[in-house]
């Protein structure tokens, strides 16, 4: 994308993601408020996004939301597994990436025994430290390393590459598909919208310096090295960053029962396809763009914006709303305008142009490396 476009779109999609996270939190609070007025008890039940859509807008919205959300979470987990195999390879290349995928797939399967999202809180704090270390390792290591000999910064050169990069950034700031479940695990869910905005501002301090410095140092080499770790020399600092990212896992599951064994049984049919898909499509980088363009666009941006518009389309619903839009954006009219802009922009640029670019790039990877690639983008052995 080039330095300027990369930084600008990170900021743009960061705030757009914060806006849709705010919409999801508003709809959650609205749904829960209505249900609690009907004396519904949520002590032993985790509210999920599709339930919010069902309760506010009906079964068709529930079906659409559930389809996109589950598919996104499925492939999001596939990407995590691919990333694990790709990362560990740069510590120990005696095994190829496909073999590492087998190993990490088996390890990740044990997470089906984690009881609920309340048990993820400690991992959130640890994950914060892990990602912070990794981002600043990339930043400092790139600056210390300096620019490689003959470095070129030719981007942007091709629309396919430009919009592939754009959908990667859209995916980066569209990771709040499980927002409702996380809110429900919070003791004060109404504060989520403020926390998410603060988190986005913090994420800017991680993603912008690391991306800019690594691009400055290695330039166009990143086009053929989807995993930036592959460009850095072996060192304890790099190995520490790799190990920390391996620990930082993302898991999906079911929370409606007290039986841990039953939870595990119902989660296994989800974990096994994740494992299988990660082996078929080990294209770290291109698969992120494809998921961003085809799934994140609807799951995280378009559906929440449309749901907010339709939930409060009548004057009575706006009058009785549990939480009204802030005056700083122009109240209900301002919120409507922002929602329409998000829907149109994401559908045209994210889904349309991004879908075309990411699928073109994805098909190119299949043609080049084939399905079940043994070691995607691995350097030749001497």
């Amino acid at each position: 994308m080039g330095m300027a476009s990369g930084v600008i779109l990170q900021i743009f999609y960061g705030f757009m993601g914060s806006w849709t996270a705010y919409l999801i939190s508003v709809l959650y609070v609205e749904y829960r408020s209505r249900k609690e007025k009907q004396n519904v008890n949520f002590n032993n039940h985790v509210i999920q996004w599709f339930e919010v859509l069902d309760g506010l807008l009906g079964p068709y919205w529930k079906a659409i939301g559930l389809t996109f959300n589950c598919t996104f979470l499925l492939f999001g987990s596939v990407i995590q597994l691919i990333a694990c195999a790709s990362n560990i390879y740069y510590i120990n290349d005696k095994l190829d990436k496909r073999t590492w995928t087998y190993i990490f797939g088996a390890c990740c399967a044990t997470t089906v025994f984690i009881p609920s999202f309340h048990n993820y809180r400690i991992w959130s704090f640890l994950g914060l430290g892990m990602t912070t270390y990794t981002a600043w390792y990339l930043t400092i290591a790139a600056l210390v390393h300096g620019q490689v000999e003959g470095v070129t910064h030719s981007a942007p050169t091709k629309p396919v590459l430009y919009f592939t990069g754009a959908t990667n950034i859209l995916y980066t700031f569209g990771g709040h598909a499980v927002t409702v479940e996380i809110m429900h695990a919070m003791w004060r869910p109404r504060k989520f919208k403020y926390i998410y905005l603060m988190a986005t501002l913090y994420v800017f301090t991680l993603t912008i310096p690391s991306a800019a410095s690594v691009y400055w140092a290695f330039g166009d080499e990143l086009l053929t090295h989807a995993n930036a770790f592959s460009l850095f020399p072996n060192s304890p600092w790099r190995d520490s960053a790799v190990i920390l990212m391996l620990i930082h896992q993302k898991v999906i599951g079911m929370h409606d029962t007290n039986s841990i064994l039953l939870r595990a049984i119902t989660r296994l049919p989800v974990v096994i396809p994740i494992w299988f898909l990660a082996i078929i499509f080990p294209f770290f980088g291109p698969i992120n763009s494809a998921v961003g363009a085809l799934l994140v666009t609807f799951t995280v941006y378009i559906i929440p914006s449309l749901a907010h518009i339709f939930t409060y389309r009548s004057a009575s619903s706006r009058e009785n709303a549990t939480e009204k839009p802030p005056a700083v954006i122009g109240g209900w009219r301002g919120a409507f305008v922002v929602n329409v802009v998000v829907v149109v922009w994401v559908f045209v640029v994210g889904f349309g142009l991004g879908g075309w670019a990411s699928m073109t790039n994805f098909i190119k990877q299949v043609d080049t490396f084939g399905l079940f690639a043994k070691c995607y983008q691995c350097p030749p052995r001497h």
Side-chain angles (χ1 to χ4, degrees):
M1 296 183 67
M3 190 74 77
S5 290
V7 172
I8 291 169
L9 276 187
Q10 281 200 52
I11 296 171
F12 177 72
Y13 280 130
F15 285 116
M16 185 181 288
S18 294
W19 171 256
T20 55
Y22 160 73
L23 297 181
I24 293 171
S25 70
V26 167
L27 294 171
Y28 164 83
V29 170
E30 183 70 39
Y31 169 77
R32 184 164 183 170
S33 176
R34 292 183 186 183
K35 286 296 181 181
E36 287 177 343
K37 288 177 182 177
Q38 301 170 8
N39 297 320
V40 176
N41 191 308
F42 294 108
N43 288 339
N44 196 36
H45 176 73
V46 175
I47 298 173
Q48 299 186 63
W49 175 231
F50 68 88
E51 294 176 84
V52 174
L53 292 174
D54 185 25
L56 297 177
L57 296 168
Y60 293 110
W61 283 82
K62 171 187 175 181
I64 294 171
L66 188 59
T67 300
F68 275 104
N69 221 42
C70 289
T71 309
F72 167 51
L73 290 173
L74 175 73
F75 280 95
S77 299
V78 170
I79 290 169
Q80 294 289 335
L81 189 52
I82 294 171
C84 283
S86 179
N87 288 342
I88 192 64
Y89 175 80
Y90 297 109
I91 290 182
N92 185 343
D93 61 1
K94 293 180 180 179
L95 299 177
D96 57 73
K97 291 181 181 179
R98 187 171 65 192
T99 303
W100 279 118
T101 305
Y102 291 139
I103 294 170
F104 274 97
C107 294
C108 291
T110 61
T111 58
V112 300
F113 294 103
I114 296 177
S116 77
F117 265 92
H118 284 284
N119 305 92
Y120 285 79
R121 194 168 284 112
I122 184 62
W123 291 105
S124 298
F125 285 104
L126 291 175
L128 183 63
M130 295 169 190
T131 52
T132 299
Y133 173 89
T134 303
W136 282 105
Y137 158 74
L138 291 171
T139 303
I140 296 170
L143 295 174
V144 171
H145 183 279
Q147 292 184 312
V148 296
E149 185 177 354
V151 64
T152 56
H153 301 88
S154 60
T157 56
K158 298 178 180 179
V160 168
L161 296 177
Y162 187 90
F163 288 106
T164 297
T167 52
N168 255 300
I169 295 176
L170 180 142
Y171 177 36
T172 299
F173 292 97
H176 44 284
V178 290
T179 298
V180 170
E181 290 89 331
I182 295 172
M183 285 181 64
H184 193 85
M186 293 174 63
W187 306 122
R188 298 175 183 174
R190 286 176 180 266
K191 290 190 174 183
F192 178 84
K193 54 185 177 290
Y194 305 114
I195 294 169
Y196 195 91
L197 178 59
M198 292 170 62
T200 299
L201 296 175
Y202 180 74
V203 167
F204 286 152
T205 70
L206 305 183
T207 59
I208 294 176
S210 61
S213 59
V214 173
Y215 180 59
W216 169 81
F218 299 102
D220 291 350
E221 285 191 38
L222 288 163
L223 290 172
T224 54
H225 295 78
N227 190 330
F229 284 132
S230 64
L231 293 169
F232 289 93
N234 290 333
S235 72
W237 299 103
R238 190 195 72 164
D239 292 351
S240 297
V242 171
I243 291 169
L244 290 175
M245 293 310 294
L246 294 176
I247 298 171
H248 183 46
Q249 292 299 315
K250 184 178 182 179
V251 188
I252 60 177
M254 161 187 173
H255 321 288
D256 289 343
T257 172
N258 289 324
S259 171
I260 293 179
L261 179 61
L262 184 57
R263 285 194 185 107
I265 293 172
T266 56
R267 287 169 175 169
L268 277 176
V270 178
V271 173
I272 292 172
I274 291 171
W275 196 358
F276 187 63
L277 288 168
I279 295 169
I280 299 177
F281 306 114
F283 311 126
F284 183 68
I287 194 172
N288 301 49
S289 297
V291 171
L294 304 179
L295 296 172
V296 175
T297 48
F298 286 92
T299 305
V300 179
Y301 295 97
I302 293 175
I303 291 177
S305 298
L306 290 176
H308 190 267
I309 290 173
F310 282 95
T311 297
Y312 299 108
R313 64 186 180 276
S314 67
S316 60
S317 62
R318 294 193 295 271
E319 182 67 27
N320 298 315
T322 305
E323 186 169 334
K324 295 177 174 58
V328 69
I329 65 160
W332 289 109
R333 290 193 179 190
F336 176 80
V337 171
V338 174
N339 286 337
V340 170
V341 169
V342 170
V343 171
V344 173
W345 175 277
V346 172
F347 185 79
V348 174
V349 178
F351 176 71
L353 296 173
W356 161 74
S358 60
M359 290 310 299
T360 300
N361 189 37
F362 190 84
I363 292 169
K364 180 182 177 182
Q365 304 306 311
V366 175
D367 292 340
T368 304
F369 296 95
L371 301 176
F372 298 97
K374 190 173 183 180
C375 208
Y376 177 66
Q377 290 188 340
C378 294
R381 288 183 176 276
H382 299 290

